[in-house]
Amino acid sequence: MRSPLLSIPFIFLLLFVPLSFASKARHFKWEVGYVFWSPDCLENVMIGINGKFPGPTIRAKAGDTIVIELKNSLPTEGVVIHWHGIRQIGTPWADGTASISQCAINPEETFTYRFKVDKAGTYFYHGHYGMQRAAGLYGSLIVDVADGEQEPFHYDSDLTLLLSDWYHKNIYAQMVGLSSKPFRWIGEPQTLLINGRGQYDCSLAAHVIHGSTTCKTNTSQCAPTVLRLHPNKTYRLRIASTTSLSSLNLAIGKHKMMVVEADGNYVEPFLVDDMDIYSGESYSVLVTTDQDPSSNYWLTVGVRGRLPKTPPALAIINYLPNSPSKLPKIAPPITPTWNDYAHSKSFTYKILARQGTLRPPVNSDRQIALLNTQNKIDGYIKWSINNISLALPATPYLGSMKYRLKNAFDAKKPPEQFAANYDVMRPPINPNSTQGSNAYILDFNRTYDVILQNANALADNVSEIHPWHLHGHDFWVLGYGDGRFTNKDVSKFNLKNPPLRNTVVIFPYGWTAIRFVADNPGAWAFHCHIEPHLHMGMGVILAEGVELVGKIPNEALACGMTSKMLMNNHP
Ligand code: C2O
Ligand code: CU
């Protein structure tokens, strides 16, 4: 029998230890494998986690350590998972980028990702090898404020909306097409998904309104997303986009949204009727359920920036205690016209840092200008940055840089500027380009400005949207402009309240300027988040302070030249 005297201090310990050591390690065991799944009611093969799509939501508190034992159960291909928006301070080998931060995990092997989530916010994770993200390898990662901390705004409860797009053609056929001559473009996705669910070839609205029978929601895997809300409450919607191609716009019938967070950083709150979300971005918006409570409402997600061949996705805003199948009184909101760029710019320009956000250094030490062009290499269509189309090497940069292995990647310094007379408004006069694995080696702790310059693609009068995402850092968005950037634009940079982000868009024929401090030792990808564009070479590698990187786990090095080094017991 237990002594009551002994158990009292024990209870005491139980109560107080977790409070005083609140940050904790959260352990997960995941198995990545193929699954039969019907994300849009049509059955297909996807890459799932623990037999499901999308992957499980990770929920943690700022300061926690996440430990994921990831087993690769894909029978014939490697895998890695990237934790998008997590800076991996001190753990660059856990960034989950194949050929950059680690070797792809071989079939039947396990890799343990261990990293700290240091900042509250809305994040997600996804495959970062080949085009595995487009095959469904993704999920949400939500970091709440640490115990005792408070968000700078009030809400009663939060909900997560992970947005994506879905192709019926498998990613292997997509990849082969993209690297074929003649080129075979993947086209537009068949369906937009909300929390991994959509309805192909049937408008949900039509289905509900007309009782259409083409909508065979015979599986719960494609059942419409329902947000069950109580009247007169304020909800935080955590919205993130991991689309392969599509830029999106989201609107809720009759409800305004107050934008409060972007990419894990607080922004100065502003009210909108609809909002754009580019691939790689995340936002939090506050929505107050102050409309007629006897009705339900529609939430619409539509395509921007490309002639939308993909129908909008719908979710139901269900005011409780109404039944979720009660028909909304008003039609789904219509998202803005796909090419209304003025509308998109006006939304994007409103995103400013919330008071109290860390300000950028007043001056930068270096400037790098990156020209984004569509090119031809030996007749194959590619995307290039300063005329180099990224081709990833066999040995991941992090290991080969840290151990100074020769010839692991192109050692030549990539260009930091592009030709002064390049006409960004016309197709390239000489579309020829080269493939390369060169890396930008940054001076540790220096402040860098990067000017992302958009241009005309190969076809006349075409310039596309590209959302650029930086690993390992947040950056300040100093400004945007139309046409070609000139050094006069520097005087217009916003140094007062530029938003901190990890993903930023460049508009057609425009430029975007960002600033960051190269203070996180590691090798980091910086790339267009459109999956086929990255696959076609649209990215660069930035590295800084690699000599300061701690012990890289051997499992991250077990390929290419670093594996030979391990066999010789070198490190
Ligand atoms: Cu979300 Cu390098 O990507
Ligand atoms: Cu792109």
Side-chain angles (χ1 to χ4, degrees):
M1 212 182 105
R2 274 182 216 150
S3 146
L5 281 176
L6 267 177
S7 60
I8 285 167
F10 182 65
I11 288 168
F12 197 78
L13 266 175
L14 269 182
L15 283 174
F16 288 90
V17 169
L19 283 178
S20 44
F21 300 101
S23 62
K24 61 175 185 185
R26 293 178 194 266
H27 288 261
F28 302 89
K29 264 197 174 183
W30 287 1
E31 200 175 326
V32 174
Y34 293 122
V35 290
F36 281 120
W37 206 264
S38 308
D40 62 354
C41 305
L42 285 195
E43 192 180 71
N44 222 312
V45 170
M46 302 185 81
I47 299 181
I49 297 174
N50 295 345
K52 290 201 169 80
F53 164 79
T57 296
I58 298 178
R59 187 115 203 180
K61 287 188 176 148
D64 286 353
T65 299
I66 307 290
V67 185
I68 289 148
E69 265 180 65
L70 191 82
K71 180 174 180 211
N72 181 7
S73 291
L74 299 169
T76 58
E77 63 189 297
V79 77
V80 292
I81 291 186
H82 167 58
W83 318 93
H84 181 114
I86 306 300
R87 290 169 297 170
Q88 301 293 352
I89 299 168
T91 51
W93 50 80
D95 195 41
T97 44
S99 283
I100 305 168
S101 64
Q102 71 170 110
C103 299
I105 309 160
N106 283 325
E108 293 306 309
E109 292 188 342
T110 297
F111 182 87
T112 303
Y113 288 98
R114 186 186 308 266
F115 57 90
K116 210 170 180 165
V117 287
D118 59 319
K119 195 156 56 77
T122 305
Y123 307 103
F124 53 100
Y125 61 83
H126 59 77
H128 213 298
Y129 186 34
M131 288 180 59
Q132 290 177 344
R133 172 160 60 97
L137 184 51
Y138 48 78
S140 297
L141 199 179
I142 309 296
V143 182
D144 289 302
V145 291
D147 284 332
E149 303 279 312
Q150 274 192 356
E151 304 277 5
F153 39 80
H154 164 82
Y155 55 96
D156 297 295
S157 167
D158 70 349
L159 296 150
T160 301
L161 293 176
L162 184 60
L163 310 179
S164 57
D165 51 5
W166 176 242
Y167 286 84
H168 291 165
K169 187 190 266 185
N170 70 53
I171 57 164
Y172 311 101
Q174 293 182 35
M175 287 190 286
V176 174
L178 293 171
S179 35
S180 288
K181 200 162 51 171
F183 182 67
R184 294 200 207 175
W185 174 238
I186 59 170
E188 306 300 314
Q190 275 65 54
T191 312
L192 299 180
L193 308 179
I194 302 177
N195 290 343
R197 296 189 237 169
Q199 296 78 32
Y200 175 65
D201 203 18
C202 80
S203 145
L204 182 57
H207 174 57
V208 177
I209 295 165
H210 309 295
S212 150
T213 46
T214 57
C215 238
K216 290 186 213 72
T217 47
N218 52 358
T219 155
S220 63
Q221 292 170 356
C222 66
T225 297
V226 178
L227 309 184
R228 294 179 176 82
L229 310 182
H230 292 276
N232 295 311
K233 298 265 181 232
T234 298
Y235 290 91
R236 175 184 191 169
L237 303 187
R238 296 171 175 276
I239 304 160
S241 170
T242 179
T243 52
S244 176
L245 178 71
S246 308
S247 301
L248 303 174
N249 181 277
L250 180 149
I252 305 174
K254 283 277 202 185
H255 293 73
K256 288 202 184 284
M257 299 176 280
M258 168 96 79
V259 182
V260 291
E261 181 217 336
D263 300 353
N265 292 291
Y266 299 123
V267 300
E268 202 50 43
F270 62 100
L271 263 187
V272 290
D273 290 308
D274 64 86
M275 62 185 300
D276 287 341
I277 309 123
Y278 300 100
S279 182
E281 292 187 328
S282 62
Y283 289 99
S284 282
V285 299
L286 302 182
V287 175
T288 301
T289 44
D290 54 4
Q291 295 301 308
D292 174 5
S294 70
S295 182
N296 290 333
Y297 300 87
W298 293 110
L299 180 151
T300 307
V301 176
V303 171
R304 310 217 29 73
R306 308 184 67 91
L307 185 66
K309 300 207 175 99
T310 316
L314 292 174
I316 294 157
I317 304 285
N318 175 210
Y319 267 52
L320 295 169
N322 298 331
S323 150
S325 54
K326 183 170 181 183
L327 189 66
K329 287 183 192 146
I330 48 164
I334 311 276
T335 54
T337 331
W338 69 274
N339 56 359
D340 185 354
Y341 291 112
H343 188 89
S344 292
K345 288 175 186 174
S346 104
F347 172 76
T348 301
Y349 298 171
K350 278 187 205 139
I351 302 164
L352 297 167
R354 190 180 181 104
Q355 264 189 20
T357 304
L358 186 66
R359 287 228 204 152
V362 192
N363 294 302
S364 74
D365 301 305
R366 314 256 189 280
Q367 187 202 74
I368 298 176
L370 300 177
L371 176 67
N372 290 229
T373 53
Q374 197 179 33
N375 298 83
K376 282 203 163 165
I377 298 178
D378 194 19
Y380 295 96
I381 297 181
K382 300 283 174 193
W383 289 94
S384 295
I385 305 306
N386 291 354
N387 219 30
I388 300 178
S389 183
L390 181 63
L392 292 169
T395 309
Y397 292 93
L398 186 66
S400 63
M401 285 178 174
K402 170 151 171 149
Y403 295 109
R404 298 169 192 281
L405 303 180
K406 295 233 159 50
N407 306 320
F409 57 92
D410 297 337
K412 205 165 155 263
K413 264 181 87 174
E416 302 198 349
Q417 299 292 330
F418 55 90
N421 60 357
Y422 190 92
D423 185 353
V424 300
M425 305 305 286
R426 310 250 173 285
I429 296 171
N430 173 6
N432 289 328
S433 182
T434 50
Q435 282 194 296
S437 58
N438 321 56
Y440 288 84
I441 312 292
L442 309 182
D443 294 328
F444 187 62
N445 265 337
R446 295 285 163 187
T447 301
Y448 280 82
D449 281 0
V450 177
I451 315 298
L452 290 162
Q453 177 68 59
N454 209 341
N456 198 106
L458 285 170
D460 283 311
N461 299 315
V462 175
S463 183
E464 296 183 27
I465 284 174
H466 305 285
W468 275 78
H469 171 60
L470 176 59
H471 290 228
H473 309 77
D474 284 344
F475 50 73
W476 291 276
V477 183
L478 301 183
Y480 306 84
D482 296 326
R484 195 195 154 115
F485 177 85
T486 71
N487 270 317
K488 274 190 246 125
D489 294 312
V490 172
S491 63
K492 288 180 269 168
F493 281 172
N494 172 16
L495 301 177
K496 209 184 97 216
N497 56 357
L500 264 176
R501 305 203 65 166
N502 62 52
T503 304
V504 73
V505 63
I506 52 174
F507 289 110
Y509 299 108
W511 56 264
T512 298
I514 65 166
R515 177 170 294 179
F516 66 94
V517 182
D519 58 359
N520 190 12
W524 308 108
F526 182 39
H527 62 89
C528 175
H529 210 264
I530 291 177
E531 189 95 310
H533 289 183
L534 174 58
H535 190 74
M536 292 160 74
M538 198 168 208
V540 295
I541 304 299
L542 309 178
E544 73 230 30
V546 174
E547 60 289 348
L548 303 172
V549 166
K551 164 100 180 74
I552 304 173
N554 284 351
E555 309 82 77
L557 300 168
C559 63
M561 293 168 65
T562 39
S563 72
K564 294 196 192 90
M565 181 191 75
L566 287 178
M567 283 190 283
N568 301 332
N569 275 323
H570 186 65

